[in-house]
Amino acid sequence: MNEKILILDFGSQYTQLIARRVRELNIYSEIVPYNKVPELDDSVKAVILSGSPFSVKEANALKPELDKIIGKRPVLGICYGAQYIADAYGGTVQRSEKREYGKAKLSKIHKQDQFLAGVDADSQVWMSHGDTIFAIPEQFELLASTDNVEVAAYKSVDGAFAHPVYCIQFHPEVTHSLDGGTIIKNFAVDIAGCKGDWTPAAFVEETVAKLKAQIGDEKVIMGLSGGVDSSVAATLLQQAIGTNLICIFVDNGLLRKGEFEEVLENYKGQGLNVIGVDAKKEFYDELAGESDPEGKRKIIGRVFIETFEKESKKVDNAKWLGQGTIYPDVIESVSVHGPSVTIKSHHNVGGLPEKLDLKIVEPLRALFKDEVRKVGAELGLPQLLLGRHPFPGPGLGIRILGDITPEKVHILQEADAIYIQKMRDFGIYDDVWQAGTILLPVQTVGVMGDERTYERTIALRAVTSMDGMTAEWSRLPYDFLAEVSSEIINNVKGINRVVYDISTKPPATIEWE
C-alpha cells in the first residue's frame, strides 16, 4: 500500500498545485473535498488543508471536521486552512482592511524549527488572503512573520496534540514562494516521515499487478485516440493481460493529416492489438450543416459511440471498457463546488458502459499529465508519441468555426501539417505545450500575382502551460511566424491570410470552440 498525503480541498485555485508539489517528492497525494474526509488508514501519513476563496468569518464558511485529523496525523494548514484552525481553537481571525495579494518577505523567523529548515529570513513568499490571523490560540506558538503580517507561520506547541500541527498564511505551492518546495519537503519528509518511494517504476509494477488481479482472464475493449493518455493506458493493460486487450481506433475524419495511418503503424510497432475503423463518411454526413460548437461536440460524441458500439459487438465475451481518464478529470467530478457545470461532451462516455454491459477500468486515474508521460517513458514508449501536444477529443471539428465540410477539413489539415512540421524544423515543438491551427468563418481580400482574391483566414494558436488549467501564449520567433505564414498561403489553396492568437487562458480558452 502506497504511503500518501491527503489534501483537503476548500476550493482554492491552487489545490492541484499542492498535490503536484507533494508528488514531485515521489510521494503520492490525493485530493478530497473538505467535507468528505475518509477514515485515516495506515497509508495516510499526513493531511494538508488547502486555501479557499471563502472567509472563515462568513456564514457559509467551509467547516471541516478537525477532530478527524488533528492529533491523528501531522497536519499542515495553508491560508484558509491556517485561518480555520486558528479560529477553531480560540485564536482571533478578522476580515482584513484590504486583501493582501502578491509577494512578501519572511522578515522574521521567531523560532528555529525543522519545518523552516533551509528557509532564509528574507525568503520571498506569495500571499493571497482576505482574512488575517491577529492572535494564535494558546496551544500554538509563532514561527515567522512578514513586514505586514505578524502571523505568517505558527505551530502547535510540543505535546499539545499527539501529532504536530503547522499553519502558514502564505502559499508554498506556487513558484513565487521561492523556498516553498523546501517547506513542503520539510513537512512531508522530515515531519510526516514519508519515504518518497512512489516512482514511475513502482507505479508500473503496482498497476500491472493490480490490473492482472482485477481483470484476470477477461477481455478489455479500449478506444484509442493516438494521444498520450490512451496509449499509456493501453500499454499498461497490454502488459497485464496481453492479447485479451482489443483496441479500436476510429478515424472520424477530423484527425490531423495522415494521422490515422501513422498512428495505426505506431501501435502495431508497439505490439498492440488494434482494429482501425474508417468512419469519415458517417461523421461528415451527421455533421453536415451543424455550426453550433456544443451541437458539433454532441454529434461527434454520438457517432463515435455508435461506431464504437458496432465494432465492440464483434468482440466476443468482452467484460471491460478501458479508458484513459487522468487525475484532473477525477478531481473535476469530485470538486468541493460539485461537478463542473458543463462537462465537454467528448469527455463523457455517454452511457456506453451500460449499453455494452461493461465494467470500467482506468489505469491512469491517479496521474497528472506529466506523470503519465513519465510512466510512458518507463514503459519504453517512443518520445515522438510521449512528447505529442494534447489534441482535443472532437479533433479539427472544434478548430473549424462554423459548419464542417470535407473541403474545410482538407484545408485545415494541410495548414496544420505545415505549422507543426515547421515547429519541428525550427526546434521549438517541445517548447510549446499545445499548438494548432483554426479555420475562421471569414473571408478577406488579398492579392496573389495580379489577381484579387477573396479567401479564408487561418489563425495559429500556441500556448505554454503545465496542465492546461491556465496557459500563456507562446512567444514564437517572428522569422518562424513569417515562414509559416508564407508557406501556408503559398501552398494551401483557399487561404490568403494568417493571424496569430495572443490570448491567455483565462480569460480565453486554448481552443476556440
Side-chain angles (χ1 to χ4, degrees):
M1 184 183 291
N2 276 318
E3 61 184 13
K4 68 183 173 189
I5 290 181
L6 210 60
I7 299 167
L8 303 194
D9 180 20
F10 293 86
S12 169
Q13 61 180 323
Y14 300 139
T15 302
Q16 282 197 39
L17 282 179
I18 303 171
R20 295 176 71 88
R21 295 295 170 260
V22 172
R23 290 181 178 205
E24 285 167 5
L25 301 169
N26 291 331
I27 300 165
Y28 180 60
S29 60
E30 187 174 316
I31 298 170
V32 297
Y34 75 96
N35 56 353
K36 294 182 181 174
V37 182
E39 291 300 317
L40 305 183
D41 59 31
D42 291 342
S43 68
V44 179
K45 300 301 179 187
V47 180
I48 297 176
L49 280 64
S50 83
S52 176
F54 293 93
S55 163
V56 300
K57 307 310 290 183
E58 290 175 354
N60 63 345
L62 309 183
K63 299 179 179 179
E65 297 177 82
L66 290 181
D67 56 349
K68 280 190 172 183
I69 56 171
I70 301 288
K72 305 292 193 299
R73 298 288 188 278
V75 170
L76 171 58
I78 296 175
C79 197
Y80 182 91
Q83 295 155 4
Y84 188 82
I85 289 171
D87 192 62
Y89 283 93
T92 304
V93 180
Q94 295 177 4
R95 294 294 285 161
S96 307
E97 291 287 328
K98 61 178 183 177
R99 179 179 176 82
E100 185 176 40
Y101 184 85
K103 298 171 185 176
K105 298 277 188 183
L106 287 184
S107 54
K108 294 178 188 172
I109 305 291
H110 297 279
K111 179 177 179 178
Q112 293 303 313
D113 186 276
Q114 59 185 335
F115 180 67
L116 295 177
V119 178
D120 294 332
D122 62 349
S123 181
Q124 177 181 293
V125 296
W126 184 260
M127 292 285 188
S128 178
H129 62 97
D131 286 350
T132 298
I133 303 166
F134 286 93
I136 57 177
E138 287 182 9
Q139 308 99 309
F140 294 83
E141 58 186 337
L142 193 61
L143 285 182
S145 305
T146 69
D147 287 336
N148 296 324
V149 176
E150 176 67 14
V151 183
Y154 68 100
K155 64 165 286 195
S156 57
V157 297
D158 294 342
F161 306 102
H163 292 277
V165 179
Y166 287 87
C167 295
I168 49 180
Q169 181 62 80
F170 55 91
H171 289 271
E173 67 272 25
V174 301
T175 53
H176 302 299
S177 291
L178 300 184
D179 290 319
T182 299
I183 291 171
I184 291 172
K185 177 179 180 292
N186 291 344
F187 175 74
V189 177
D190 298 333
I191 294 165
C194 292
K195 295 189 291 291
D197 55 5
W198 191 66
T199 62
F203 176 85
V204 169
E205 183 181 349
E206 183 181 324
T207 301
V208 169
K210 276 183 183 174
L211 291 171
K212 282 180 179 176
Q214 183 181 12
I215 298 166
D217 295 328
E218 295 176 337
K219 289 183 181 177
V220 177
I221 299 172
M222 183 166 185
L224 294 181
S225 67
V228 176
D229 301 338
S230 68
S231 301
V232 174
T235 306
L236 283 167
L237 282 163
Q238 183 203 35
Q239 291 209 356
I241 62 172
T243 55
N244 277 347
L245 171 68
I246 297 93
C247 300
I248 297 171
F249 182 36
V250 177
D251 183 357
N252 59 9
L254 302 168
L255 301 174
R256 285 174 165 157
K257 182 181 179 181
E259 187 169 27
F260 184 61
E261 296 76 16
E262 179 189 323
V263 169
L264 269 181
E265 197 59 39
N266 286 342
Y267 281 144
K268 285 175 187 170
Q270 292 165 41
L272 287 173
N273 184 10
V274 185
I275 300 165
V277 182
D278 182 352
K280 291 194 288 288
K281 184 176 186 310
E282 289 88 335
F283 280 87
Y284 289 156
D285 287 350
E286 291 294 317
L287 284 164
E290 179 60 68
S291 297
D292 177 68
E294 189 58 17
K296 290 192 289 186
R297 286 178 183 276
K298 285 179 177 172
I299 291 170
I300 294 165
R302 174 175 58 76
V303 179
F304 172 80
I305 287 172
E306 290 168 357
T307 307
F308 191 87
E309 185 178 5
K310 184 170 71 177
E311 293 299 322
S312 298
K313 285 179 176 174
K314 299 176 185 176
V315 180
D316 294 331
N317 300 318
K319 302 294 184 187
W320 296 84
L321 176 66
Q323 289 189 186
T325 309
I326 62 174
Y327 199 43
D329 303 324
V330 176
I331 294 169
E332 184 179 62
S333 67
V334 296
S335 163
V336 65
H337 301 300
S340 294
V341 176
T342 302
I343 298 174
K344 290 179 181 177
S345 307
H346 67 283
H347 284 156
N348 194 326
V349 293
L352 192 56
E354 292 82 5
K355 274 188 181 181
L356 298 174
D357 193 26
L358 297 175
K359 298 172 280 186
I360 293 179
V361 57
E362 299 169 314
L364 304 178
R365 66 180 282 113
L367 301 185
F368 287 105
K369 175 72 83 172
D370 56 322
E371 294 167 337
V372 173
R373 288 194 167 101
K374 289 174 185 174
V375 166
E378 183 65 34
L379 290 165
L381 295 182
Q383 182 54 38
L384 195 64
L385 169 63
L386 296 178
R388 284 188 65 182
H389 293 173
F391 190 60
L396 301 181
I398 58 168
R399 292 183 178 174
I400 296 171
L401 305 196
D403 68 320
I404 294 169
T405 65
E407 180 212 3
K408 289 180 182 178
V409 172
H410 174 72
I411 289 172
L412 191 56
Q413 284 177 331
E414 294 297 323
D416 188 76
I418 290 169
Y419 185 34
I420 298 303
Q421 186 55 52
K422 285 292 177 188
M423 278 195 160
R424 295 192 187 282
D425 293 346
F426 271 70
I428 58 179
Y429 181 85
D430 292 333
D431 298 330
V432 171
W433 192 77
Q434 184 172 348
T437 50
I438 299 94
L439 183 63
L440 303 186
V442 292
Q443 290 179 285
T444 65
V445 174
V447 177
M448 289 191 178
D450 294 326
E451 293 183 17
R452 181 184 176 92
T453 63
Y454 193 61
E455 294 180 333
R456 301 181 188 278
T457 301
I458 283 282
L460 308 179
R461 182 74 159 137
V463 298
T464 54
S465 178
M466 281 291 290
D467 51 21
M469 303 296 287
T470 61
E472 184 67 44
W473 63 276
S474 300
R475 272 61 172 174
L476 300 180
Y478 289 164
D479 56 343
F480 164 79
L481 291 171
E483 194 164 318
V484 169
S485 176
S486 175
E487 191 85 3
I488 289 174
I489 291 170
N490 288 337
N491 291 282
V492 183
K493 187 171 174 55
I495 299 295
N496 70 352
R497 190 178 298 271
V498 174
V499 298
Y500 186 51
D501 180 352
I502 58 169
S503 313
T504 59
K505 176 187 178 181
T509 52
I510 296 175
E511 300 295 342
W512 280 43
E513 286 191 342

